[in-house]
């Protein structure tokens, strides 16, 4: 009996090569879907969509009050909406950041990602960008409802309201970037989701409570300078300072630093938080990818 060797040769791939940009975009879309539980079991969709519904309720109620009473004061200010609903935003961040930042670390699958043409920085930017986009959608959707609902209800000065709406969207972008940066870093160092949720909530509660206590003491002692500057220590107060001093919004927090200088300092701190978090996440995921 004779044997035969068939040389079929090595066939090179001749199709379209999509490259790193496609991989990064796919990672971004996958993580954005995961933030809302899309493509996951039904129970994963409950929390994000319930929180989205809760975020919409004050906007709907505000529009209904304006439609019946005809008083412009019934409409919630766009720039103040995220600050008013900060507890809901914080819960969304606490529950969804671990989904994006800690699952791959926990199950040691990050090296599989880096076996493809995607860099460590691409991986970090895709995840952080998805979390920021999810937060932006959470905060921007109700104020968009407020704006277009107000137009339908014939709110006075639509041109001025449009500028306020754009300012509110800019604030939502800043809130999303700062909160996503903080939440993703915390979650990346707590591989178990329950610990990650608790850690994010703890950081929010501790910083907010600390700032409120110091501001009340400073106000009682008429130390309004301290009352304003201490707001830099809480993320929601920090962004509110930028909105008030640089975007012309009305203050929502208890104290605001004086002048444009206060706004520039707050903006610089926001940038530092975002850039610093990217650097920390880069080192974290790179280390996890080598393990």
């Amino acid at each position: 009996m004779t044997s035969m060797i068939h040389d079929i040769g090595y066939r090179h791939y001749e199709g379209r090569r999509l490259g790193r940009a496609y991989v990064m975009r796919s990672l971004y879309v996958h993580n954005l879907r995961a933030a809302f539980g899309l493509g996951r079991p039904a129970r994963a969709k409950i929390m994000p969509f319930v929180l989205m519904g809760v975020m919409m309720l004050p906007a709907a109620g505000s529009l209904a009050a304006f439609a019946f009473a005809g008083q412009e004061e019934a409409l919630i200010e766009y720039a103040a909406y995220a600050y008013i609903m900060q507890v809901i935003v914080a819960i969304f961040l606490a529950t969804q950041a671990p989904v994006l930042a800690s699952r791959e670390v926990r199950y040691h699958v990050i090296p599989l990602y880096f076996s493809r043409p995607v860099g460590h920085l691409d991986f970090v930017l895709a995840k952080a960008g998805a979390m920021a986009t999810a937060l932006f959608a959470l905060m921007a959707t109700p104020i968009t409802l407020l704006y277009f609902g107000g137009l339908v209800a014939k709110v006075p000065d639509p041109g001025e309201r449009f500028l306020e709406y754009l300012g509110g969207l800019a604030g939502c972008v800043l809130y999303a970037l700062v909160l996503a940066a903080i939440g993703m870093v915390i979650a990346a160092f707590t591989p178990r989701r329950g610990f990650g949720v608790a850690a994010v909530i703890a950081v929010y509660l501790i910083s907010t409570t600390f700032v409120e206590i110091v501001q009340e003491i400073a106000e009682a002692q008429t130390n309004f300078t301290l009352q304003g500057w201490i707001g830099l220590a809480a993320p929601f107060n920090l962004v509110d300072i930028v909105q008030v001093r640089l975007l012309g919004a009305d203050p929502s927090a208890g104290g605001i630093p004086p002048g444009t200088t206060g706004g520039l300092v707050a903006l610089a701190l926001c940038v530092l938080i975002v850039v610093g978090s990217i650097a920390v996440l880069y080192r974290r995921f790179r280390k996890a990818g080598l393990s």
Side-chain angles (χ1 to χ4, degrees):
M1 182 176 180
T2 60
S3 61
M4 183 178 299
I5 299 176
H6 295 276
D7 182 11
I8 61 175
Y10 176 78
R11 298 183 180 181
H12 294 276
Y13 175 72
E14 297 178 354
R16 181 185 176 189
R17 298 183 184 275
L18 301 176
R20 289 177 60 185
Y22 179 82
V23 175
M24 184 177 177
R25 185 167 65 251
S26 299
L27 276 173
Y28 168 79
V29 173
H30 169 73
N31 282 279
L32 181 58
R33 285 170 54 84
F36 289 100
L38 302 178
R40 300 174 61 207
R43 64 179 181 274
K45 302 177 178 66
I46 296 175
M47 182 62 75
F49 282 98
V50 165
L51 293 176
M52 177 65 82
V54 174
M55 283 290 292
M56 299 293 288
L57 287 177
S62 177
L63 283 172
F66 173 74
F68 282 106
Q71 297 180 353
E72 191 175 0
E73 293 77 12
L75 293 174
I76 302 173
E77 293 295 328
Y78 307 125
Y81 202 95
Y83 188 90
I84 294 171
M85 302 296 291
Q86 61 179 283
V87 173
I88 304 302
V89 177
I91 293 174
F92 182 91
L93 176 65
T95 54
Q96 302 312 115
V99 174
L100 273 62
S102 63
R103 286 191 303 169
E104 290 90 349
V105 176
R106 178 182 179 184
Y107 294 111
H108 306 286
V109 297
I110 290 183
L112 298 178
Y113 285 97
F114 298 145
S115 67
R116 298 301 182 190
V118 56
H120 296 80
L121 184 60
D122 299 338
F123 184 79
V124 170
L125 292 177
K127 283 187 166 293
M131 187 72 253
T133 303
L135 285 169
F136 175 77
L138 181 75
M139 294 178 284
T141 301
I143 71 170
T144 300
L145 173 64
L146 272 175
Y147 173 69
F148 286 103
L151 292 182
V152 173
K154 300 186 184 303
V155 66
D157 298 323
E160 182 179 350
R161 299 293 291 186
F162 178 68
L163 294 177
E164 293 175 356
Y165 170 65
L166 292 181
L169 288 181
C172 289
V173 171
L174 199 54
Y175 273 119
L177 291 173
V178 171
L179 294 173
I182 296 171
M184 291 291 286
V185 167
I186 297 171
F189 285 91
T190 49
R192 292 193 174 275
R193 185 182 179 186
F195 293 153
V197 173
V200 174
I201 287 292
V203 170
Y204 162 72
L205 287 177
I206 291 171
S207 62
T208 302
T209 303
F210 170 76
V211 167
E212 287 180 353
I213 291 174
V214 174
Q215 285 184 332
E216 288 180 3
I217 295 174
E219 184 178 10
Q221 298 179 352
T222 65
N223 189 345
F224 300 112
T225 300
L226 174 61
Q227 184 188 24
W229 286 108
I230 197 62
L232 298 173
F236 284 93
N237 297 59
L238 175 66
V239 177
D240 187 58
I241 293 169
V242 177
Q243 291 188 118
V244 172
R245 294 307 182 196
L246 300 183
L247 299 178
D250 294 327
S252 302
I256 302 293
T260 305
T261 301
L264 292 175
V265 171
L267 180 60
L269 186 54
C270 290
V271 173
L272 182 62
I273 289 173
V274 174
V275 174
S277 73
I278 296 299
V280 172
L281 288 171
Y282 176 86
R283 291 178 61 87
R284 172 59 172 160
F285 287 126
R286 183 179 182 184
K287 182 179 179 181
L290 296 174
S291 61

